[in-house]
Amino acid sequence: MQEFRRGTVRANNLTFEYLTAGDGPLALCMHGFPDSPYTYRYLLPALADAGFRAVAPFNRGYAPTELPIDRHHVHSSTMVADQIALHEALGGDERAVVLSHDWAALGTWGAAAKEPERWSRCAIVNIPPFAIFAENIVTYDQIKKSFYFWYFQMTNVVEQIVAADDFAFIDHIWADWSPGYDASEDLPLMKDCIRDPEHFRAALAYYWGQFDPKRFGTPEWAAEQADAWGADIPQPTLYLHGTDDGCHGMTQEQVDRVPSHCGPGSRSELIPGVGHFMHVQRPADVNKRIVEFVAG
């Protein structure tokens, strides 16, 4: 695996560690669960070659980034605030672009709407705008895919069961979400971020913060989510989704509607034959789409 420069930055009252490549305008690359910034190992050099300073932080909760004080509740508003603060702390300007996947998409939908002057373009993979996400989350097919949202609420047992046998649960998640992909290079790097029990709790806190059964689906929960990441964004945005995504399903019609929630010049594509982790599953194709768009 290619070696990357490392750095640390203080943002939103937390010290983040990050991987970086290149010089130029900021290209902030944010990961989700169960993931690490190393899944951007193909995209970082491509962005650097295109004239960007590509930065992929270890997200809140993921070692070696500092543990947050609240390790049990990471709300969508916190993800939004992290991305805004990272732009500021990393010296981003109006030319900056943001690229996000999975949980990080929530942060980007919110950050791009709340402080649009920070980002010239966005590229978002696999999690649609809140309006479309909300359509899916109540369907039977998506409930089956999202079983772990609810399983993770079983706080008395989930840590031990998910961590058992070197986090074999995570191996199965990757296999279900990107069928046929050999994740043997990715999984050890991801697991190193959560081996410490406190870091693992902080990673689970995204689910404890959003999907508390006592609050999920209430008017208060819906209003909170809509306020954090429910607004349309003004930037030109590229949205990519895989037909084989075992995490969040999207129809062609839904993918086609994503640009209506984004700025002029936005595009969306449902890519055949790739799953949730498309940026490592088919990096050359995905890199080309992303780099051409954000450099455009």
Side-chain angles (χ1 to χ4, degrees):
M1 180 178 295
Q2 176 175 342
E3 291 291 326
F4 293 100
R5 302 198 311 269
R6 304 286 287 255
T8 59
V9 66
R10 188 78 179 169
N12 200 17
N13 300 311
L14 203 65
T15 300
F16 289 83
E17 187 155 335
Y18 59 83
L19 311 179
T20 186
D23 297 290
L26 176 66
L28 183 63
C29 303
M30 303 294 292
H31 72 83
F33 175 94
D35 204 351
S36 82
Y38 285 105
T39 52
Y40 285 113
R41 62 186 178 273
Y42 301 110
L43 185 57
L44 293 178
L47 289 165
D49 289 344
F52 289 98
R53 178 193 176 202
V55 177
F58 292 81
N59 283 4
R60 175 178 294 266
Y62 291 75
T65 283
E66 178 187 12
L67 279 165
I69 293 173
D70 184 353
R71 302 171 196 174
H72 297 277
H73 299 89
V74 178
H75 291 284
S76 48
S77 58
T78 305
M79 301 177 226
V80 172
D82 281 350
Q83 293 191 24
I84 291 170
L86 282 163
H87 176 280
E88 182 75 21
L90 289 165
D93 59 23
E94 72 282 355
R95 299 171 296 166
V97 299
V98 59
L99 308 100
S100 58
H101 177 252
D102 193 81
W103 270 121
L106 277 68
T108 295
W109 289 116
K114 289 183 180 297
E115 300 200 8
E117 70 280 359
R118 293 186 180 276
W119 321 100
S120 63
R121 288 180 175 245
C122 308
I124 299 174
V125 179
N126 291 100
I127 298 297
F130 179 66
I132 297 175
F133 179 88
E135 292 174 10
N136 284 344
I137 197 63
V138 295
T139 66
Y140 182 73
D141 285 347
Q142 187 57 49
I143 289 168
K144 287 194 295 182
K145 289 182 170 69
S146 300
F147 79 94
Y148 58 99
F149 287 4
W150 324 119
Y151 183 67
F152 286 176
Q153 307 308 315
M154 299 182 188
T155 55
N156 290 328
V157 298
V158 66
E159 293 176 49
Q160 291 76 23
I161 291 174
V162 175
D165 299 324
D166 190 32
F167 292 93
F169 187 101
I170 302 297
D171 299 346
H172 292 300
I173 286 281
W174 270 69
D176 285 345
W177 289 5
S178 274
Y181 172 65
D182 178 0
S184 57
E185 191 170 12
D186 303 277
L187 286 164
L189 295 164
M190 184 276 147
K191 293 173 185 179
D192 285 346
C193 296
I194 60 170
R195 289 190 191 281
D196 172 73
E198 288 300 315
H199 280 283
F200 185 34
R201 290 184 194 109
L204 290 173
Y206 290 78
Y207 298 93
W208 297 340
Q210 312 317 309
F211 301 114
D212 178 349
K214 294 180 180 178
R215 298 189 68 247
F216 178 78
T218 64
E220 293 78 15
W221 176 91
E224 178 185 89
Q225 298 299 319
D227 180 66
W229 65 291
D232 290 350
I233 64 176
Q235 296 86 353
T237 299
L238 175 67
Y239 181 77
L240 302 177
H241 206 98
T243 58
D244 296 347
D245 189 336
C247 172
H248 192 88
M250 291 274 281
T251 66
Q252 182 69 64
E253 185 272 337
Q254 288 177 316
V255 171
D256 290 343
R257 276 196 282 125
V258 172
S260 69
H261 296 278
C262 312
S266 295
R267 301 203 306 262
S268 62
E269 186 174 357
L270 184 61
I271 303 176
V274 293
H276 193 66
F277 299 100
M278 66 169 70
H279 48 315
V280 286
Q281 189 174 7
R282 198 182 294 169
D285 290 348
V286 173
N287 285 358
K288 185 175 187 295
R289 288 173 169 87
I290 290 174
V291 173
E292 286 182 353
F293 184 83
V294 299

